[in-house]
Amino acid sequence: MSYRLDIDPVAQAQIRALPSVALVALAEVMSMLELTPWAGRPINEGNPDGNVRVLPFGTAALITYLILEDQRRVDVLEVLWVG
């Protein structure tokens, strides 16, 4: 069973600002989040079971998201391009 993705308006704006070279990698990470969101590392290493996770993608980007397990939903909070 897959997770539903909900993209925060701030993250939507950040996605629109991504360079085209990042879009393929973003599509891959979004597909991964629908199936295995727990694969990302916790944003707080002191809370390894925390629901807020981060995952690098492409060569210079990071996505931050919240897993709402009871709703089978992933809220994408932030998409940063550092390249």
Side-chain angles (χ1 to χ4, degrees), residues 6-18 26 30 63-65 75-80:
D6 185 29
I7 303 173
D8 184 86
V10 170
Q12 289 176 6
Q14 292 168 331
I15 290 168
R16 283 191 296 274
L18 287 174
L26 177 64
M30 292 293 196
I63 189 167
T64 304
Y65 58 96
D75 288 354
V76 176
L77 305 174
E78 189 173 55
V79 179
L80 294 177

Side-chain angles (χ1 to χ4, degrees), residues 33-51:
L33 290 177
E34 290 179 325
L35 300 174
T36 57
W38 292 102
R41 65 178 169 80
I43 197 166
N44 177 358
E45 296 295 332
N47 184 12
D49 297 326
N51 291 31

Side-chain angles (χ1 to χ4, degrees), residues 40-78:
R41 65 178 169 80
I43 197 166
N44 177 358
E45 296 295 332
N47 184 12
D49 297 326
N51 291 31
V52 179
R53 301 268 161 163
V54 294
L55 187 68
F57 69 94
T59 58
L62 184 71
I63 189 167
T64 304
Y65 58 96
L66 169 68
I67 303 168
L68 299 165
E69 187 63 44
D70 61 329
Q71 298 176 39
R72 301 289 294 178
R73 189 175 97 202
V74 173
D75 288 354
V76 176
L77 305 174
E78 189 173 55

